[in-house]
């Protein structure tokens, strides 16, 4: 097929081409969005269920959210080692498990609301303890999860 010369566009018998459409930003991203969405539903449902099973009394240390965030961080450490160190991991594993399931399960927003609620209802010491404990425990959990997963992989390869 020939491309018409600009001087001859519109003349009878000259082929007309439609302008090329730029690719959609969603092209190829549909499976990733679906994986994150499905994983998020699973993670958020698990977090909600944990909150129903182990509710926190007003003014008390929010152990449920604390535990959820620390466990989620440990699992994230393990997951990142598995995804980066194992050769045959599906391309949707990280969006599904990392962003979706663990992103829906762990919750910075509830952590922030819990701190604000504790401080606002006259429990600033508990709120500050929760703030510091969550930060330290979450960082330690990621480190422990990563370290344990790496050691397990090294033993497995022997």
């Amino acid at each position: 097929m020939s491309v018409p010369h600009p001087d001859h566009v519109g003349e009878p018998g000259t082929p007309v081409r439609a302008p090329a459409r730029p690719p959609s930003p969603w092209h190829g991203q549909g499976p990733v969005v679906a994986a994150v969405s499905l994983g998020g539903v699973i993670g958020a449902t698990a977090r909600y269920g944990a909150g129903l099973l182990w509710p926190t009394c007003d003014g008390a240390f929010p152990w449920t959210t604390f535990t959820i965030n620390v466990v989620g961080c440990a699992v994230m450490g393990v997951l990142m080692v598995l995804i980066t160190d194992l050769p045959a991991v599906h391309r949707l594993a990280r969006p599904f498990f990392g962003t979706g399931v663990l992103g829906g399960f762990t919750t910075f927003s509830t952590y922030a609301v819990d701190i604000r609620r504790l401080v606002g209802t006259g429990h600033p010491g508990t709120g500050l303890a929760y703030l510091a404990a969550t930060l330290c425990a979450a960082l330690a959990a990621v480190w422990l999860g990563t370290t344990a997963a790496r050691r397990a992989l090294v033993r497995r390869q022997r």
Side-chain angles (χ1 to χ4, degrees), residues 30 75 139:
V75 174
L139 290 172

Side-chain angles (χ1 to χ4, degrees), residues 38-142:
L38 179 61
V41 167
I42 293 167
T45 301
R47 180 186 70 230
Y48 179 73
L52 291 178
L53 288 172
W54 301 288
T56 301
C57 299
D58 289 339
F61 190 92
W63 285 107
T64 303
T65 304
F66 176 82
T67 303
I68 286 169
N69 286 338
V70 172
V71 167
C73 286
V75 174
M76 181 61 77
V78 171
L79 177 68
M80 288 300 105
V81 168
L82 295 177
I83 286 175
T84 57
D85 292 0
L86 293 179
V89 177
H90 194 278
R91 74 178 187 91
L92 296 177
R94 182 184 290 191
F96 176 75
F97 289 110
T99 307
V101 174
L102 293 174
F105 184 65
T106 60
T107 171
F108 181 79
S109 59
T110 302
Y111 165 67
V113 167
D114 285 345
I115 293 167
R116 184 175 180 197
R117 186 178 305 131
L118 286 167
V119 171
T121 58
H123 301 92
T126 305
L128 292 174
Y130 176 53
L131 178 116
T134 299
L135 177 62
C136 292
L139 290 172
V142 170

Side-chain angles (χ1 to χ4, degrees), residues 12-40:
T14 305
V16 179
R17 280 185 118 171
R21 282 192 332 187
S24 167
W26 291 101
H27 182 71
Q29 293 299 311
V32 175
V33 172
V36 170
S37 299
L38 179 61

